PDB file of all heavy atoms in Angstrom:
ATOM      1  N   GLY C 131       0.055  -6.534  -7.178  1.00  0.00           N
ATOM      2  CA  GLY C 131      -0.948  -6.728  -8.212  1.00  0.00           C
ATOM      3  C   GLY C 131      -2.336  -6.397  -7.705  1.00  0.00           C
ATOM      4  O   GLY C 131      -3.138  -5.759  -8.421  1.00  0.00           O
ATOM      5  N   LEU C 132      -2.645  -6.798  -6.484  1.00  0.00           N
ATOM      6  CA  LEU C 132      -3.951  -6.489  -5.905  1.00  0.00           C
ATOM      7  C   LEU C 132      -4.116  -4.984  -5.712  1.00  0.00           C
ATOM      8  O   LEU C 132      -5.183  -4.420  -6.005  1.00  0.00           O
ATOM      9  CB  LEU C 132      -4.104  -7.220  -4.563  1.00  0.00           C
ATOM     10  CG  LEU C 132      -5.420  -6.996  -3.814  1.00  0.00           C
ATOM     11  CD1 LEU C 132      -6.612  -7.418  -4.662  1.00  0.00           C
ATOM     12  CD2 LEU C 132      -5.407  -7.756  -2.491  1.00  0.00           C
ATOM     13  N   ILE C 133      -3.062  -4.315  -5.263  1.00  0.00           N
ATOM     14  CA  ILE C 133      -3.118  -2.865  -5.097  1.00  0.00           C
ATOM     15  C   ILE C 133      -3.352  -2.185  -6.440  1.00  0.00           C
ATOM     16  O   ILE C 133      -4.175  -1.270  -6.557  1.00  0.00           O
ATOM     17  CB  ILE C 133      -1.828  -2.346  -4.425  1.00  0.00           C
ATOM     18  CG1 ILE C 133      -1.765  -2.823  -2.974  1.00  0.00           C
ATOM     19  CG2 ILE C 133      -1.759  -0.819  -4.491  1.00  0.00           C
ATOM     20  CD1 ILE C 133      -0.442  -2.531  -2.287  1.00  0.00           C
ATOM     21  N   ALA C 134      -2.644  -2.640  -7.480  1.00  0.00           N
ATOM     22  CA  ALA C 134      -2.830  -2.061  -8.814  1.00  0.00           C
ATOM     23  C   ALA C 134      -4.260  -2.251  -9.298  1.00  0.00           C
ATOM     24  O   ALA C 134      -4.839  -1.363  -9.941  1.00  0.00           O
ATOM     25  CB  ALA C 134      -1.840  -2.697  -9.792  1.00  0.00           C
ATOM     26  N   MET C 135      -4.848  -3.412  -9.008  1.00  0.00           N
ATOM     27  CA  MET C 135      -6.243  -3.642  -9.388  1.00  0.00           C
ATOM     28  C   MET C 135      -7.174  -2.690  -8.653  1.00  0.00           C
ATOM     29  O   MET C 135      -8.138  -2.167  -9.215  1.00  0.00           O
ATOM     30  CB  MET C 135      -6.633  -5.085  -9.081  1.00  0.00           C
ATOM     31  CG  MET C 135      -6.122  -6.112 -10.059  1.00  0.00           C
ATOM     32  SD  MET C 135      -6.858  -7.738  -9.764  1.00  0.00           S
ATOM     33  CE  MET C 135      -5.699  -8.415  -8.576  1.00  0.00           C
ATOM     34  N   MET C 136      -6.902  -2.462  -7.378  1.00  0.00           N
ATOM     35  CA  MET C 136      -7.797  -1.649  -6.562  1.00  0.00           C
ATOM     36  C   MET C 136      -7.741  -0.169  -6.944  1.00  0.00           C
ATOM     37  O   MET C 136      -8.763   0.526  -6.896  1.00  0.00           O
ATOM     38  CB  MET C 136      -7.460  -1.835  -5.085  1.00  0.00           C
ATOM     39  CG  MET C 136      -7.870  -3.205  -4.561  1.00  0.00           C
ATOM     40  SD  MET C 136      -7.524  -3.418  -2.794  1.00  0.00           S
ATOM     41  CE  MET C 136      -8.488  -4.896  -2.431  1.00  0.00           C
ATOM     42  N   VAL C 137      -6.559   0.319  -7.317  1.00  0.00           N
ATOM     43  CA  VAL C 137      -6.474   1.742  -7.706  1.00  0.00           C
ATOM     44  C   VAL C 137      -6.708   1.937  -9.198  1.00  0.00           C
ATOM     45  O   VAL C 137      -6.923   3.052  -9.659  1.00  0.00           O
ATOM     46  CB  VAL C 137      -5.112   2.354  -7.298  1.00  0.00           C
ATOM     47  CG1 VAL C 137      -4.929   2.312  -5.799  1.00  0.00           C
ATOM     48  CG2 VAL C 137      -3.947   1.658  -8.015  1.00  0.00           C
ATOM     49  N   GLY C 138      -6.649   0.849  -9.959  1.00  0.00           N
ATOM     50  CA  GLY C 138      -6.977   0.916 -11.380  1.00  0.00           C
ATOM     51  C   GLY C 138      -5.915   1.539 -12.253  1.00  0.00           C
ATOM     52  O   GLY C 138      -6.239   2.128 -13.301  1.00  0.00           O
ATOM     53  N   ARG C 139      -4.642   1.404 -11.873  1.00  0.00           N
ATOM     54  CA  ARG C 139      -3.576   1.973 -12.706  1.00  0.00           C
ATOM     55  C   ARG C 139      -2.252   1.280 -12.407  1.00  0.00           C
ATOM     56  O   ARG C 139      -2.113   0.562 -11.411  1.00  0.00           O
ATOM     57  CB  ARG C 139      -3.432   3.471 -12.464  1.00  0.00           C
ATOM     58  CG  ARG C 139      -3.159   3.852 -11.021  1.00  0.00           C
ATOM     59  CD  ARG C 139      -3.056   5.360 -10.835  1.00  0.00           C
ATOM     60  NE  ARG C 139      -3.003   5.741  -9.420  1.00  0.00           N
ATOM     61  CZ  ARG C 139      -4.075   5.983  -8.675  1.00  0.00           C
ATOM     62  NH1 ARG C 139      -5.275   5.884  -9.213  1.00  0.00           N
ATOM     63  NH2 ARG C 139      -3.938   6.331  -7.404  1.00  0.00           N
ATOM     64  N   LYS C 140      -1.289   1.533 -13.268  1.00  0.00           N
ATOM     65  CA  LYS C 140       0.059   0.994 -13.093  1.00  0.00           C
ATOM     66  C   LYS C 140       0.710   1.632 -11.866  1.00  0.00           C
ATOM     67  O   LYS C 140       0.553   2.831 -11.607  1.00  0.00           O
ATOM     68  CB  LYS C 140       0.913   1.275 -14.326  1.00  0.00           C
ATOM     69  CG  LYS C 140       2.348   0.759 -14.235  1.00  0.00           C
ATOM     70  CD  LYS C 140       3.215   1.310 -15.354  1.00  0.00           C
ATOM     71  CE  LYS C 140       2.752   0.853 -16.708  1.00  0.00           C
ATOM     72  NZ  LYS C 140       3.653   1.317 -17.791  1.00  0.00           N
ATOM     73  N   ILE C 141       1.446   0.811 -11.099  1.00  0.00           N
ATOM     74  CA  ILE C 141       2.204   1.342  -9.981  1.00  0.00           C
ATOM     75  C   ILE C 141       3.674   0.984 -10.167  1.00  0.00           C
ATOM     76  O   ILE C 141       4.011  -0.030 -10.776  1.00  0.00           O
ATOM     77  CB  ILE C 141       1.692   0.822  -8.626  1.00  0.00           C
ATOM     78  CG1 ILE C 141       1.727  -0.708  -8.559  1.00  0.00           C
ATOM     79  CG2 ILE C 141       0.287   1.338  -8.355  1.00  0.00           C
ATOM     80  CD1 ILE C 141       1.321  -1.261  -7.202  1.00  0.00           C
ATOM     81  N   LYS C 142       4.516   1.848  -9.635  1.00  0.00           N
ATOM     82  CA  LYS C 142       5.959   1.624  -9.688  1.00  0.00           C
ATOM     83  C   LYS C 142       6.461   1.313  -8.282  1.00  0.00           C
ATOM     84  O   LYS C 142       6.070   1.961  -7.313  1.00  0.00           O
ATOM     85  CB  LYS C 142       6.669   2.851 -10.267  1.00  0.00           C
ATOM     86  CG  LYS C 142       6.307   3.116 -11.725  1.00  0.00           C
ATOM     87  CD  LYS C 142       7.122   4.259 -12.305  1.00  0.00           C
ATOM     88  CE  LYS C 142       6.794   4.457 -13.776  1.00  0.00           C
ATOM     89  NZ  LYS C 142       7.593   5.560 -14.397  1.00  0.00           N
ATOM     90  N   TRP C 143       7.357   0.340  -8.217  1.00  0.00           N
ATOM     91  CA  TRP C 143       7.798  -0.200  -6.927  1.00  0.00           C
ATOM     92  C   TRP C 143       9.308  -0.119  -6.828  1.00  0.00           C
ATOM     93  O   TRP C 143      10.024  -0.525  -7.754  1.00  0.00           O
ATOM     94  CB  TRP C 143       7.326  -1.646  -6.810  1.00  0.00           C
ATOM     95  CG  TRP C 143       7.802  -2.422  -5.620  1.00  0.00           C
ATOM     96  CD1 TRP C 143       8.694  -3.458  -5.626  1.00  0.00           C
ATOM     97  CD2 TRP C 143       7.383  -2.282  -4.262  1.00  0.00           C
ATOM     98  NE1 TRP C 143       8.858  -3.965  -4.357  1.00  0.00           N
ATOM     99  CE2 TRP C 143       8.063  -3.260  -3.497  1.00  0.00           C
ATOM    100  CE3 TRP C 143       6.502  -1.412  -3.615  1.00  0.00           C
ATOM    101  CZ2 TRP C 143       7.881  -3.383  -2.120  1.00  0.00           C
ATOM    102  CZ3 TRP C 143       6.319  -1.539  -2.237  1.00  0.00           C
ATOM    103  CH2 TRP C 143       7.007  -2.517  -1.512  1.00  0.00           C
ATOM    104  N   ASP C 144       9.795   0.394  -5.713  1.00  0.00           N
ATOM    105  CA  ASP C 144      11.225   0.400  -5.428  1.00  0.00           C
ATOM    106  C   ASP C 144      11.546  -0.876  -4.657  1.00  0.00           C
ATOM    107  O   ASP C 144      11.343  -0.951  -3.443  1.00  0.00           O
ATOM    108  CB  ASP C 144      11.597   1.633  -4.610  1.00  0.00           C
ATOM    109  CG  ASP C 144      13.105   1.769  -4.407  1.00  0.00           C
ATOM    110  OD1 ASP C 144      13.801   0.733  -4.392  1.00  0.00           O
ATOM    111  OD2 ASP C 144      13.582   2.906  -4.257  1.00  0.00           O
ATOM    112  N   ALA C 145      12.010  -1.884  -5.376  1.00  0.00           N
ATOM    113  CA  ALA C 145      12.220  -3.192  -4.757  1.00  0.00           C
ATOM    114  C   ALA C 145      13.333  -3.190  -3.722  1.00  0.00           C
ATOM    115  O   ALA C 145      13.391  -4.091  -2.881  1.00  0.00           O
ATOM    116  CB  ALA C 145      12.525  -4.234  -5.841  1.00  0.00           C
ATOM    117  N   LYS C 146      14.227  -2.221  -3.761  1.00  0.00           N
ATOM    118  CA  LYS C 146      15.322  -2.167  -2.788  1.00  0.00           C
ATOM    119  C   LYS C 146      14.884  -1.507  -1.485  1.00  0.00           C
ATOM    120  O   LYS C 146      15.198  -1.978  -0.400  1.00  0.00           O
ATOM    121  CB  LYS C 146      16.520  -1.405  -3.386  1.00  0.00           C
ATOM    122  CG  LYS C 146      17.161  -2.099  -4.571  1.00  0.00           C
ATOM    123  CD  LYS C 146      17.807  -3.410  -4.164  1.00  0.00           C
ATOM    124  CE  LYS C 146      18.547  -4.055  -5.332  1.00  0.00           C
ATOM    125  NZ  LYS C 146      19.091  -5.392  -4.957  1.00  0.00           N
ATOM    126  N   LYS C 147      14.130  -0.403  -1.596  1.00  0.00           N
ATOM    127  CA  LYS C 147      13.755   0.349  -0.403  1.00  0.00           C
ATOM    128  C   LYS C 147      12.332   0.069   0.065  1.00  0.00           C
ATOM    129  O   LYS C 147      11.997   0.353   1.208  1.00  0.00           O
ATOM    130  CB  LYS C 147      13.930   1.847  -0.660  1.00  0.00           C
ATOM    131  CG  LYS C 147      15.375   2.242  -0.953  1.00  0.00           C
ATOM    132  CD  LYS C 147      15.501   3.742  -1.171  1.00  0.00           C
ATOM    133  CE  LYS C 147      16.938   4.146  -1.462  1.00  0.00           C
ATOM    134  NZ  LYS C 147      17.074   5.596  -1.699  1.00  0.00           N
ATOM    135  N   GLY C 148      11.483  -0.420  -0.835  1.00  0.00           N
ATOM    136  CA  GLY C 148      10.177  -0.865  -0.395  1.00  0.00           C
ATOM    137  C   GLY C 148       8.967  -0.020  -0.704  1.00  0.00           C
ATOM    138  O   GLY C 148       7.871  -0.563  -0.753  1.00  0.00           O
ATOM    139  N   PRO C 149       9.070   1.285  -0.918  1.00  0.00           N
ATOM    140  CA  PRO C 149       7.828   2.038  -1.130  1.00  0.00           C
ATOM    141  C   PRO C 149       7.326   1.987  -2.564  1.00  0.00           C
ATOM    142  O   PRO C 149       8.070   1.706  -3.506  1.00  0.00           O
ATOM    143  CB  PRO C 149       8.233   3.466  -0.764  1.00  0.00           C
ATOM    144  CG  PRO C 149       9.679   3.542  -1.120  1.00  0.00           C
ATOM    145  CD  PRO C 149      10.233   2.167  -0.815  1.00  0.00           C
ATOM    146  N   ILE C 150       6.027   2.272  -2.717  1.00  0.00           N
ATOM    147  CA  ILE C 150       5.455   2.552  -4.028  1.00  0.00           C
ATOM    148  C   ILE C 150       5.837   3.980  -4.374  1.00  0.00           C
ATOM    149  O   ILE C 150       5.789   4.887  -3.544  1.00  0.00           O
ATOM    150  CB  ILE C 150       3.927   2.375  -3.994  1.00  0.00           C
ATOM    151  CG1 ILE C 150       3.586   0.886  -3.820  1.00  0.00           C
ATOM    152  CG2 ILE C 150       3.273   2.938  -5.241  1.00  0.00           C
ATOM    153  CD1 ILE C 150       2.116   0.609  -3.613  1.00  0.00           C
ATOM    154  N   ILE C 151       6.232   4.196  -5.600  1.00  0.00           N
ATOM    155  CA  ILE C 151       6.799   5.484  -6.007  1.00  0.00           C
ATOM    156  C   ILE C 151       5.713   6.414  -6.541  1.00  0.00           C
ATOM    157  O   ILE C 151       4.992   6.076  -7.488  1.00  0.00           O
ATOM    158  CB  ILE C 151       7.889   5.278  -7.083  1.00  0.00           C
ATOM    159  CG1 ILE C 151       9.005   4.373  -6.538  1.00  0.00           C
ATOM    160  CG2 ILE C 151       8.463   6.618  -7.540  1.00  0.00           C
ATOM    161  CD1 ILE C 151       9.998   3.930  -7.588  1.00  0.00           C
ATOM    162  N   GLY C 152       5.577   7.584  -5.927  1.00  0.00           N
ATOM    163  CA  GLY C 152       4.748   8.657  -6.463  1.00  0.00           C
ATOM    164  C   GLY C 152       3.262   8.378  -6.512  1.00  0.00           C
ATOM    165  O   GLY C 152       2.574   8.902  -7.400  1.00  0.00           O
ATOM    166  N   ASP C 153       2.730   7.599  -5.584  1.00  0.00           N
ATOM    167  CA  ASP C 153       1.302   7.296  -5.597  1.00  0.00           C
ATOM    168  C   ASP C 153       0.829   7.121  -4.158  1.00  0.00           C
ATOM    169  O   ASP C 153       0.878   6.022  -3.601  1.00  0.00           O
ATOM    170  CB  ASP C 153       1.031   6.033  -6.418  1.00  0.00           C
ATOM    171  CG  ASP C 153      -0.449   5.831  -6.743  1.00  0.00           C
ATOM    172  OD1 ASP C 153      -1.282   6.196  -5.895  1.00  0.00           O
ATOM    173  OD2 ASP C 153      -0.754   5.297  -7.827  1.00  0.00           O
ATOM    174  N   ASP C 154       0.348   8.207  -3.562  1.00  0.00           N
ATOM    175  CA  ASP C 154      -0.052   8.169  -2.161  1.00  0.00           C
ATOM    176  C   ASP C 154      -1.245   7.258  -1.928  1.00  0.00           C
ATOM    177  O   ASP C 154      -1.311   6.560  -0.908  1.00  0.00           O
ATOM    178  CB  ASP C 154      -0.393   9.589  -1.672  1.00  0.00           C
ATOM    179  CG  ASP C 154       0.827  10.485  -1.595  1.00  0.00           C
ATOM    180  OD1 ASP C 154       1.957   9.945  -1.541  1.00  0.00           O
ATOM    181  OD2 ASP C 154       0.661  11.726  -1.590  1.00  0.00           O
ATOM    182  N   GLU C 155      -2.191   7.238  -2.861  1.00  0.00           N
ATOM    183  CA  GLU C 155      -3.374   6.391  -2.697  1.00  0.00           C
ATOM    184  C   GLU C 155      -2.983   4.919  -2.674  1.00  0.00           C
ATOM    185  O   GLU C 155      -3.449   4.149  -1.822  1.00  0.00           O
ATOM    186  CB  GLU C 155      -4.373   6.645  -3.829  1.00  0.00           C
ATOM    187  CG  GLU C 155      -5.632   5.797  -3.705  1.00  0.00           C
ATOM    188  CD  GLU C 155      -6.549   5.929  -4.911  1.00  0.00           C
ATOM    189  OE1 GLU C 155      -6.181   6.629  -5.877  1.00  0.00           O
ATOM    190  OE2 GLU C 155      -7.631   5.303  -4.889  1.00  0.00           O
ATOM    191  N   ALA C 156      -2.119   4.529  -3.597  1.00  0.00           N
ATOM    192  CA  ALA C 156      -1.677   3.138  -3.635  1.00  0.00           C
ATOM    193  C   ALA C 156      -0.827   2.796  -2.414  1.00  0.00           C
ATOM    194  O   ALA C 156      -0.923   1.692  -1.867  1.00  0.00           O
ATOM    195  CB  ALA C 156      -0.884   2.877  -4.917  1.00  0.00           C
ATOM    196  N   SER C 157      -0.015   3.745  -1.964  1.00  0.00           N
ATOM    197  CA  SER C 157       0.856   3.499  -0.818  1.00  0.00           C
ATOM    198  C   SER C 157       0.071   3.208   0.450  1.00  0.00           C
ATOM    199  O   SER C 157       0.514   2.431   1.303  1.00  0.00           O
ATOM    200  CB  SER C 157       1.780   4.702  -0.588  1.00  0.00           C
ATOM    201  OG  SER C 157       2.681   4.861  -1.670  1.00  0.00           O
ATOM    202  N   LYS C 158      -1.106   3.809   0.590  1.00  0.00           N
ATOM    203  CA  LYS C 158      -1.933   3.562   1.768  1.00  0.00           C
ATOM    204  C   LYS C 158      -2.374   2.108   1.849  1.00  0.00           C
ATOM    205  O   LYS C 158      -2.667   1.605   2.937  1.00  0.00           O
ATOM    206  CB  LYS C 158      -3.149   4.479   1.753  1.00  0.00           C
ATOM    207  CG  LYS C 158      -2.815   5.948   1.971  1.00  0.00           C
ATOM    208  CD  LYS C 158      -4.069   6.816   1.898  1.00  0.00           C
ATOM    209  CE  LYS C 158      -3.729   8.285   2.092  1.00  0.00           C
ATOM    210  NZ  LYS C 158      -4.940   9.151   1.981  1.00  0.00           N
ATOM    211  N   LEU C 159      -2.424   1.421   0.703  1.00  0.00           N
ATOM    212  CA  LEU C 159      -2.878   0.040   0.669  1.00  0.00           C
ATOM    213  C   LEU C 159      -1.765  -0.957   0.999  1.00  0.00           C
ATOM    214  O   LEU C 159      -1.990  -2.162   1.005  1.00  0.00           O
ATOM    215  CB  LEU C 159      -3.475  -0.283  -0.703  1.00  0.00           C
ATOM    216  CG  LEU C 159      -4.700   0.541  -1.093  1.00  0.00           C
ATOM    217  CD1 LEU C 159      -5.171   0.177  -2.494  1.00  0.00           C
ATOM    218  CD2 LEU C 159      -5.829   0.360  -0.076  1.00  0.00           C
ATOM    219  N   LEU C 160      -0.568  -0.445   1.291  1.00  0.00           N
ATOM    220  CA  LEU C 160       0.511  -1.321   1.748  1.00  0.00           C
ATOM    221  C   LEU C 160       0.252  -1.847   3.148  1.00  0.00           C
ATOM    222  O   LEU C 160       0.889  -2.806   3.592  1.00  0.00           O
ATOM    223  CB  LEU C 160       1.848  -0.573   1.719  1.00  0.00           C
ATOM    224  CG  LEU C 160       2.401  -0.222   0.345  1.00  0.00           C
ATOM    225  CD1 LEU C 160       3.572   0.744   0.465  1.00  0.00           C
ATOM    226  CD2 LEU C 160       2.838  -1.481  -0.394  1.00  0.00           C
ATOM    227  N   THR C 161      -0.692  -1.224   3.848  1.00  0.00           N
ATOM    228  CA  THR C 161      -1.033  -1.657   5.202  1.00  0.00           C
ATOM    229  C   THR C 161      -2.535  -1.546   5.384  1.00  0.00           C
ATOM    230  O   THR C 161      -3.260  -1.125   4.481  1.00  0.00           O
ATOM    231  CB  THR C 161      -0.291  -0.806   6.255  1.00  0.00           C
ATOM    232  OG1 THR C 161      -0.478  -1.375   7.543  1.00  0.00           O
ATOM    233  CG2 THR C 161      -0.764   0.628   6.235  1.00  0.00           C
ATOM    234  N   ARG C 162      -3.021  -1.984   6.540  1.00  0.00           N
ATOM    235  CA  ARG C 162      -4.434  -1.863   6.881  1.00  0.00           C
ATOM    236  C   ARG C 162      -4.557  -1.351   8.306  1.00  0.00           C
ATOM    237  O   ARG C 162      -3.693  -1.600   9.152  1.00  0.00           O
ATOM    238  CB  ARG C 162      -5.152  -3.210   6.771  1.00  0.00           C
ATOM    239  CG  ARG C 162      -5.161  -3.805   5.389  1.00  0.00           C
ATOM    240  CD  ARG C 162      -6.136  -4.965   5.308  1.00  0.00           C
ATOM    241  NE  ARG C 162      -5.974  -5.739   4.087  1.00  0.00           N
ATOM    242  CZ  ARG C 162      -6.795  -6.708   3.714  1.00  0.00           C
ATOM    243  NH1 ARG C 162      -7.834  -7.015   4.472  1.00  0.00           N
ATOM    244  NH2 ARG C 162      -6.592  -7.380   2.593  1.00  0.00           N
ATOM    245  N   GLU C 163      -5.654  -0.652   8.552  1.00  0.00           N
ATOM    246  CA  GLU C 163      -5.889  -0.120   9.893  1.00  0.00           C
ATOM    247  C   GLU C 163      -6.239  -1.257  10.844  1.00  0.00           C
ATOM    248  O   GLU C 163      -7.012  -2.155  10.516  1.00  0.00           O
ATOM    249  CB  GLU C 163      -7.035   0.885   9.855  1.00  0.00           C
ATOM    250  CG  GLU C 163      -7.324   1.539  11.188  1.00  0.00           C
ATOM    251  CD  GLU C 163      -8.459   2.536  11.112  1.00  0.00           C
ATOM    252  OE1 GLU C 163      -8.948   2.816   9.991  1.00  0.00           O
ATOM    253  OE2 GLU C 163      -8.865   3.056  12.181  1.00  0.00           O
ATOM    254  N   TYR C 164      -5.648  -1.234  12.027  1.00  0.00           N
ATOM    255  CA  TYR C 164      -5.904  -2.250  13.041  1.00  0.00           C
ATOM    256  C   TYR C 164      -7.022  -1.797  13.973  1.00  0.00           C
ATOM    257  O   TYR C 164      -7.096  -0.618  14.360  1.00  0.00           O
ATOM    258  CB  TYR C 164      -4.647  -2.523  13.860  1.00  0.00           C
ATOM    259  CG  TYR C 164      -3.738  -3.580  13.284  1.00  0.00           C
ATOM    260  CD1 TYR C 164      -3.642  -3.785  11.906  1.00  0.00           C
ATOM    261  CD2 TYR C 164      -2.954  -4.374  14.116  1.00  0.00           C
ATOM    262  CE1 TYR C 164      -2.809  -4.761  11.386  1.00  0.00           C
ATOM    263  CE2 TYR C 164      -2.107  -5.348  13.603  1.00  0.00           C
ATOM    264  CZ  TYR C 164      -2.043  -5.534  12.230  1.00  0.00           C
ATOM    265  OH  TYR C 164      -1.226  -6.506  11.704  1.00  0.00           O
ATOM    266  N   ARG C 165      -7.846  -2.728  14.367  1.00  0.00           N
ATOM    267  CA  ARG C 165      -8.897  -2.481  15.347  1.00  0.00           C
ATOM    268  C   ARG C 165      -8.269  -2.396  16.744  1.00  0.00           C
ATOM    269  O   ARG C 165      -7.459  -3.250  17.123  1.00  0.00           O
ATOM    270  CB  ARG C 165      -9.926  -3.611  15.293  1.00  0.00           C
ATOM    271  CG  ARG C 165     -11.092  -3.483  16.267  1.00  0.00           C
ATOM    272  CD  ARG C 165     -12.155  -4.532  15.985  1.00  0.00           C
ATOM    273  NE  ARG C 165     -11.724  -5.863  16.332  1.00  0.00           N
ATOM    274  CZ  ARG C 165     -12.215  -6.596  17.329  1.00  0.00           C
ATOM    275  NH1 ARG C 165     -13.163  -6.091  18.116  1.00  0.00           N
ATOM    276  NH2 ARG C 165     -11.792  -7.823  17.556  1.00  0.00           N
ATOM    277  N   ALA C 166      -8.643  -1.388  17.484  1.00  0.00           N
ATOM    278  CA  ALA C 166      -8.153  -1.236  18.862  1.00  0.00           C
ATOM    279  C   ALA C 166      -8.632  -2.420  19.705  1.00  0.00           C
ATOM    280  O   ALA C 166      -9.742  -2.912  19.507  1.00  0.00           O
ATOM    281  CB  ALA C 166      -8.629   0.075  19.451  1.00  0.00           C
ATOM    282  N   PRO C 167      -7.806  -2.912  20.621  1.00  0.00           N
ATOM    283  CA  PRO C 167      -6.495  -2.385  21.048  1.00  0.00           C
ATOM    284  C   PRO C 167      -5.310  -3.040  20.339  1.00  0.00           C
ATOM    285  O   PRO C 167      -4.169  -2.923  20.798  1.00  0.00           O
ATOM    286  CB  PRO C 167      -6.480  -2.754  22.528  1.00  0.00           C
ATOM    287  CG  PRO C 167      -7.183  -4.087  22.561  1.00  0.00           C
ATOM    288  CD  PRO C 167      -8.266  -4.006  21.512  1.00  0.00           C
ATOM    289  N   TYR C 168      -5.550  -3.736  19.239  1.00  0.00           N
ATOM    290  CA  TYR C 168      -4.472  -4.461  18.558  1.00  0.00           C
ATOM    291  C   TYR C 168      -3.526  -3.479  17.855  1.00  0.00           C
ATOM    292  O   TYR C 168      -3.958  -2.482  17.278  1.00  0.00           O
ATOM    293  CB  TYR C 168      -5.053  -5.440  17.548  1.00  0.00           C
ATOM    294  CG  TYR C 168      -5.909  -6.511  18.179  1.00  0.00           C
ATOM    295  CD1 TYR C 168      -7.292  -6.347  18.289  1.00  0.00           C
ATOM    296  CD2 TYR C 168      -5.345  -7.674  18.687  1.00  0.00           C
ATOM    297  CE1 TYR C 168      -8.086  -7.311  18.889  1.00  0.00           C
ATOM    298  CE2 TYR C 168      -6.135  -8.656  19.291  1.00  0.00           C
ATOM    299  CZ  TYR C 168      -7.505  -8.463  19.381  1.00  0.00           C
ATOM    300  OH  TYR C 168      -8.287  -9.407  19.971  1.00  0.00           O
ATOM    301  N   LYS C 169      -2.242  -3.810  17.901  1.00  0.00           N
ATOM    302  CA  LYS C 169      -1.216  -2.985  17.266  1.00  0.00           C
ATOM    303  C   LYS C 169      -0.176  -3.872  16.614  1.00  0.00           C
ATOM    304  O   LYS C 169       0.080  -4.986  17.077  1.00  0.00           O
ATOM    305  CB  LYS C 169      -0.542  -2.072  18.306  1.00  0.00           C
ATOM    306  CG  LYS C 169      -1.446  -1.041  18.935  1.00  0.00           C
ATOM    307  CD  LYS C 169      -0.690  -0.195  19.934  1.00  0.00           C
ATOM    308  CE  LYS C 169      -1.605   0.852  20.580  1.00  0.00           C
ATOM    309  NZ  LYS C 169      -0.860   1.688  21.575  1.00  0.00           N
TER     310      LYS C 169
END
């Protein structure tokens, strides 16, 4: 829901496999960049 708010559109989710379907911008928000040296 937060990702949908941030990109401003409906997103489709594959609940079995995990990815957002057909939306690269929204998919990037599934994670966040870590500050070095954390991984």
